[in-house]
């Protein structure tokens, strides 16, 4: 599709408001043999019902659930088909109906979307969204091969069996088109490893310099290991509810104003040129230079049409005029430093070609205009794929509820995971945060969701 | 009845961790795209084009598609040019398992005139540069019967 009809760009709407009431996580590790997947999801679910100051006891909450959504990326990894049935059973939600959602790296975001559709339509009033991934049954090399099975197996997987290589191809082209120094990319890695340092959930925290990132070993040039997401084991759970149920459960429900999805060709190879789909904060004039000049093609290899589409729909649905002004906090799918810069442009933080300004200006940092990935993101904290999009929204929920310190700063949270709270820990709670955005992303941009949360 | 002789190797006692071997293969059909892979054996690159007169996309598709995504009509096969330019490139140092080429192989995306896509492939000789002219080479000696049987060298 390179030509839009009216129906293609219809703005989605909820039949009734959708709320987020509680969230729970496990910590994230490279290997987690101590607990099987059923145990991990139960641990995350218990945190959601026991530690979110809910007004109803956990057993009563179980009686209120009427539909469940499960989020797992790859049956390959867990080596268990229909894993959702097993998890649903172990969580004791039988005989309630459920579905398992699969959209690659965006599985978490799509699962929240599916749960929101159930609430918004009136089909359900309280829905747990349960995500996990078990990536430690195979070696990292086999794991990368499994992930690359999500590229086109006939024409692309063989060329590297490695997603980092597919992103490296985009990174090279992006740098070539936009003169982006590697230092700008490295800043994102420095930031997200640092924010992971403040999180008890994180797998790969670290205090690095730009130089450390640049001198780190190269996976596929230009990307170094420290610029790539971790491969994790862990789980995340969110509870979505209708208005009445939300107020029964909590004094601090958060509105899910919008969550919308977009897609693009599985193979980057197949991306044809089209006119830029403009966001509310852009006009034809924004791109006069790019369209007339060097930026002769869009989305090419440098932009994610799926992310642009998801943002277009979600911004219109939630009435967002200017994302940098209207959002107080953002979680992106920073699978690679390059994809983060690309996403800054796709979601309108900067016009196409100028994404680096968002990180270079300092806006993306804590106490900047739009703090991004305070959770530590995929580079620093986790990428247990099925849990990832849910994890992002759990972190945003806690931020909007003012609970960052409760879940990240309590020394007991650290000892729970066998860690010691760092002596230099600092709070990343965004003061007076009111509106938040999360981007969940698959493949080389095959699926993307854009979620917008708001404090009522 | 006897106890089974095949056993799972114990890797760790607490928690109990076992090794679960997988040794089978998949029988995979290229279906309607087989003509592309067979073409490589004859040193030709077969692409497809939509011949529906009302369809807006007149260019070739490579990788080929049996049906046009713009109008859902069946497409027809045509030979694609064997020269192109490098659109982007990366040397993969740490490939995943199953990669059949050595680490350090440059991956490339190739722009070909008259083709609406940018084929992902690899550079068999030399170092890749943006806009570098390349020509196709084919593995006909001992073909892998995968996309790797097509590669490019500086033109
Ligand atoms: Zn057609």
């Amino acid at each position: 599709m390179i030509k839009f009809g009216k129906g293609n760009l219809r703005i989605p709407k909820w039949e009734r408001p959708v709320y987020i009431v509680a969230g729970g996580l496990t910590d994230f590790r490279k290997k987690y043999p101590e607990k099987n997947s059923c145990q991990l999801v139960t641990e995350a679910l218990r945190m959601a019902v026991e530690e979110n100051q809910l007004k109803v006891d956990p057993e009563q909450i179980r009686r209120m659930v009427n539909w469940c959504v499960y989020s797992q990326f790859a049956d390959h990894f867990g080596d268990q088909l229909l894993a959702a049935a097993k998890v649903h059973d172990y969580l004791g939600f039988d005989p309630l109906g459920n579905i398992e959602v699969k959209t690659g790296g965006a599985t978490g975001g799509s699962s929240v979307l599916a749960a929101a559709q159930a609430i918004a339509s009136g089909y359900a009033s309280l829905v747990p969204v349960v995500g996990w991934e078990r990536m430690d049954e195979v070696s990292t090399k086999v794991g990368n091969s499994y992930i690359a099975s999500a590229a086109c197996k006939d024409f692309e997987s063989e060329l590297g069996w490695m997603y980092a290589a597919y992103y490296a191809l985009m990174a090279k082209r992006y740098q070539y088109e936009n003169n982006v120094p590697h230092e700008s990319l490295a800043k994102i890695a420095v930031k997200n490893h640092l924010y992971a340092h403040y999180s008890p959930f994180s797998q790969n925290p670290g205090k690095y310099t730009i130089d450390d990132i640049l001198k780190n070993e190269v996976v596929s040039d230009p990307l170094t290991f420290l610029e790539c997401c971790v491969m994790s084991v862990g789980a995340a759970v969110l509870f979505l509810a209708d208005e009445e149920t939300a107020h029964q459960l909590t004094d601090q429900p958060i509105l899910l104003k919008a969550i919308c999805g977009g897609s693009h060709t599985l193979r980057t190879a197949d991306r044809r040129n089209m006119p830029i789909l403009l966001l509310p904060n852009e006009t034809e004039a924004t791109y006069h230079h790019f369209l007339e000049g060097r930026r002769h093609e869009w989305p090419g290899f440098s932009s994610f049409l799926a992310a642009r589409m998801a943002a277009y729909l979600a911004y219109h649905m939630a009435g967002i005029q200017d994302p940098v002004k209207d959002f107080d906090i953002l979680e992106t799918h920073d699978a690679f430093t390059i994809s983060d810069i690309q996403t800054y442009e796709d979601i309108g933080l900067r016009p196409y070609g100028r994404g680096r300004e968002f990180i270079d200006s300092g806006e993306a940092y804590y106490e900047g205009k739009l703090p991004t990935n305070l959770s530590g993101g995929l580079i620093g904290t986790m990428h247990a794929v099925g849990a990832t999009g849910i994890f992002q929204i759990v972190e945003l929920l806690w931020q909007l509820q003012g609970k960052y310190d409760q879940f990240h700063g309590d020394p007991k949270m650290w000892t729970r995971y066998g860690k010691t709270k760092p002596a230099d820990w600092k709070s990343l709670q965004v003061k007076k945060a009111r509106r938040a955005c999360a981007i969940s992303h698959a493949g080389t941009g095959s699926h993307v969701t854009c979620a917008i949360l708001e404090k009522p | 009845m006897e106890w089974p002789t095949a056993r799972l190797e114990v890797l760790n006692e607490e928690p109990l961790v076992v090794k679960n071997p997988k040794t089978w293969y998949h029988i995979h059909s290229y279906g309607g795209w087989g003509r592309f892979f067979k073409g490589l054996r004859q040193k030709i690159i077969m692409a497809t084009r939509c011949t529906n007169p009302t369809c807006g996309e007149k260019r070739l598709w490579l990788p080929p598609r049996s049906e046009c995504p713009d109008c859902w009509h069946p497409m027809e096969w045509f030979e694609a040019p064997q020269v192109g330019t490098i659109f982007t490139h990366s040397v993969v140092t740490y490939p995943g398992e199953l990669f059949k080429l050595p680490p350090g192989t440059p991956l490339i995306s190739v722009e070909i005139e008259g083709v609406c896509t940018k084929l992902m492939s690899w550079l068999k000789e030399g170092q890749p540069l943006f806009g570098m002219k390349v020509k196709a080479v084919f593995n006909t000696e001992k073909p892998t019967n995968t996309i790797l049987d097509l590669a490019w060298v500086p033109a």
Side-chain angles (χ1 to χ4, degrees):
Chain A
M1 166 121 29
I2 50 173
K3 260 189 235 163
F4 290 118
K6 257 191 184 169
N8 302 138
L9 294 177
R10 175 189 172 273
I11 306 307
K13 57 180 185 208
W14 300 146
E15 289 295 323
R16 55 184 194 157
V18 178
Y19 288 86
I20 305 175
V21 293
L25 303 174
T26 63
D27 64 329
F28 297 94
R29 304 183 187 184
K30 172 90 179 161
K31 291 178 190 292
Y32 219 142
E34 297 82 0
K35 291 169 189 169
N36 63 50
S37 302
C38 292
Q39 293 177 286
L40 289 168
V41 296
T42 309
E43 184 178 314
L45 183 113
R46 283 189 61 176
M47 182 186 281
V49 295
E50 291 176 359
E51 298 179 53
N52 281 258
Q53 293 79 41
L54 299 182
K55 299 187 284 182
V56 176
D57 73 69
E59 188 47 30
Q60 195 52 35
I61 292 170
R62 178 200 292 275
R63 305 288 155 219
M64 294 166 72
V65 169
N66 29 52
W67 177 247
C68 305
V69 179
Y70 294 98
S71 176
Q72 190 209 201
F73 156 57
D75 295 327
H76 289 53
F77 276 106
D79 196 22
Q80 169 70 65
L81 268 70
L82 212 52
K86 194 165 167 180
V87 163
H88 186 68
D89 164 359
Y90 275 74
L91 290 175
F93 283 128
D94 60 291
L96 301 178
N98 71 80
I99 51 165
E100 185 179 8
V101 173
K102 283 194 164 18
T103 61
T107 296
S110 299
S111 297
V112 175
L113 171 55
Q117 287 169 337
I119 299 288
S121 66
Y123 185 89
S125 61
L126 183 62
V127 181
V129 189
V130 178
W132 73 98
E133 207 75 43
R134 155 130 254 134
M135 307 179 84
D136 63 350
E137 288 208 356
V138 292
S139 69
T140 303
K141 212 172 169 190
V142 172
N144 276 314
S145 180
Y146 277 176
I147 294 168
S149 309
C152 169
K153 76 171 187 177
D154 294 299
F155 298 102
E156 285 191 350
S157 299
E158 289 284 354
L159 293 152
W161 285 106
M162 184 71 179
Y163 252 96
Y166 312 142
Y167 272 89
L169 288 168
M170 289 192 279
K172 280 279 208 185
R173 183 71 198 182
Y174 184 92
Q175 287 186 294
Y176 172 74
E177 285 177 1
N178 300 297
N179 288 318
V180 176
H182 202 167
E183 284 75 7
S184 292
L185 296 179
K187 281 181 194 171
I188 296 169
V190 171
K191 171 174 77 65
N192 296 357
H193 284 291
L194 173 66
Y195 293 160
H197 176 74
Y198 305 115
S199 171
F201 306 107
S202 73
Q203 181 180 329
N204 203 9
K207 292 185 145 181
Y208 298 106
T209 62
I210 290 176
D211 218 38
D212 293 334
I213 306 292
L214 297 178
K215 287 190 176 141
N216 190 235
E217 227 177 332
V218 172
V219 184
S220 192
D221 85 300
L223 300 173
T224 65
F225 277 97
L226 287 169
E227 290 181 87
C228 302
C229 54
V230 289
M231 208 182 273
S232 316
V233 184
V237 169
L238 268 180
F239 274 86
L240 268 57
D242 66 0
E243 191 161 81
E244 193 190 334
T245 312
H247 288 290
Q248 257 177 287
L249 287 173
T250 175
D251 291 329
Q252 292 175 283
I254 298 296
L255 265 170
L256 182 58
K257 287 285 281 186
I259 178 164
C260 300
S263 71
H264 203 194
T265 61
L266 178 62
R267 292 189 294 257
T268 42
D270 292 30
R271 295 179 182 173
R272 292 174 289 166
N273 304 342
M274 60 185 284
I276 296 177
L277 177 64
L278 298 174
L279 293 180
N281 60 327
E282 298 174 338
T283 64
E284 292 292 340
T286 313
Y287 290 111
H288 188 72
H289 170 68
F290 295 118
L291 290 172
E292 304 281 313
R294 71 196 162 91
R295 180 129 204 139
H296 57 286
E297 49 184 48
W298 185 82
F301 274 28
S302 314
S303 308
F304 299 119
L305 170 57
R308 176 52 59 123
M309 181 78 184
Y312 175 90
L313 296 175
Y315 289 4
H316 282 284
M317 188 176 172
I320 301 303
Q321 293 298 322
D322 182 341
V324 176
K325 277 195 205 133
D326 294 351
F327 297 139
D328 302 306
I329 180 165
L330 169 69
E331 286 285 323
T332 59
H333 186 98
D334 55 326
F336 305 97
T337 50
I338 181 62
S339 56
D340 223 42
I341 295 241
Q342 291 170 277
T343 301
Y344 298 160
E345 300 175 1
D346 298 316
I347 65 171
L349 308 183
R350 287 294 186 280
Y352 282 113
R354 289 170 47 192
R356 60 175 285 202
E357 292 172 19
F358 182 64
I359 185 78
D360 288 341
S361 67
E363 288 176 22
Y365 292 82
Y366 179 65
E367 290 180 328
K369 257 169 117 178
L370 180 54
T372 300
N373 291 353
L374 297 181
S375 69
L378 284 65
I379 286 177
T381 293
M382 64 80 82
H383 194 17
V385 186
T388 302
I390 300 166
F391 156 84
Q392 295 176 313
I393 297 179
V394 170
E395 290 274 358
L396 292 179
L397 168 75
W398 291 339
Q399 278 278 0
L400 294 182
Q401 291 179 324
K403 293 179 183 172
Y404 179 88
D405 292 7
Q406 181 199 325
F407 288 102
H408 304 81
D410 183 347
K412 285 193 203 111
M413 285 300 301
W414 293 80
T415 49
R416 184 186 294 190
Y417 303 125
K419 299 175 184 176
T420 308
K421 184 180 169 182
D424 62 349
W425 184 87
K426 71 168 191 179
S427 172
L428 298 181
Q429 175 66 52
V430 176
K431 281 129 203 130
K432 294 183 187 154
R434 199 176 153 255
R435 209 180 281 115
C437 176
I439 305 295
S440 189
H441 176 115
T444 50
S446 66
H447 302 73
V448 175
T449 63
C450 174
I452 298 170
L453 286 69
E454 196 177 290
K455 206 165 158 177
Chain B
M1 300 286 271
E2 295 297 314
W3 292 105
T5 52
R7 57 187 289 275
L8 298 190
E9 184 187 336
V10 171
L11 298 179
N12 192 55
E13 275 297 334
E14 189 52 46
L16 185 60
V17 178
V18 295
K19 192 170 172 181
N20 195 0
K22 303 270 173 181
T23 49
W24 51 78
Y25 44 79
H26 278 235
I27 296 172
H28 175 57
S29 169
Y30 288 122
W33 309 328
R35 190 151 170 196
F36 168 83
F37 293 94
K38 285 200 252 179
L40 300 182
R41 299 176 191 164
Q42 294 148 7
K43 302 193 175 187
I44 50 174
I45 305 172
M46 293 303 290
T48 57
R49 177 187 287 134
C50 181
T51 52
N52 172 9
T54 65
C55 181
E57 186 56 83
K58 305 294 182 202
R59 295 170 294 176
L60 289 169
W61 286 83
L62 197 63
R65 296 180 179 225
S66 304
E67 292 81 25
C68 173
D70 288 357
C71 70
W72 300 330
H73 278 251
M75 300 227 262
E76 287 179 31
W77 291 93
F78 297 90
E79 262 188 59
Q82 299 196 5
V83 290
T85 54
I86 292 181
F87 181 74
T88 189
H89 57 87
S90 173
V91 172
V92 54
T93 322
Y94 285 94
E97 191 74 40
L98 301 178
F99 191 52
K100 296 171 179 69
L101 295 163
T105 299
L107 302 180
I108 55 172
S109 290
V110 187
E111 242 183 332
I112 302 167
E113 212 183 318
V115 175
C116 71
T117 49
K118 296 171 193 78
L119 186 69
M120 195 191 286
S121 191
W122 60 288
L123 190 71
K124 198 166 176 297
E125 287 169 23
Q127 285 307 306
L129 296 166
F130 286 97
M132 186 167 119
K133 296 224 177 314
V134 287
K135 63 177 184 200
V137 289
F138 303 87
N139 176 18
T140 52
E141 294 277 307
K142 282 183 188 160
T144 62
N145 302 305
T146 71
I147 187 70
L148 299 182
D149 290 341
L150 171 65
W152 303 77
V153 295

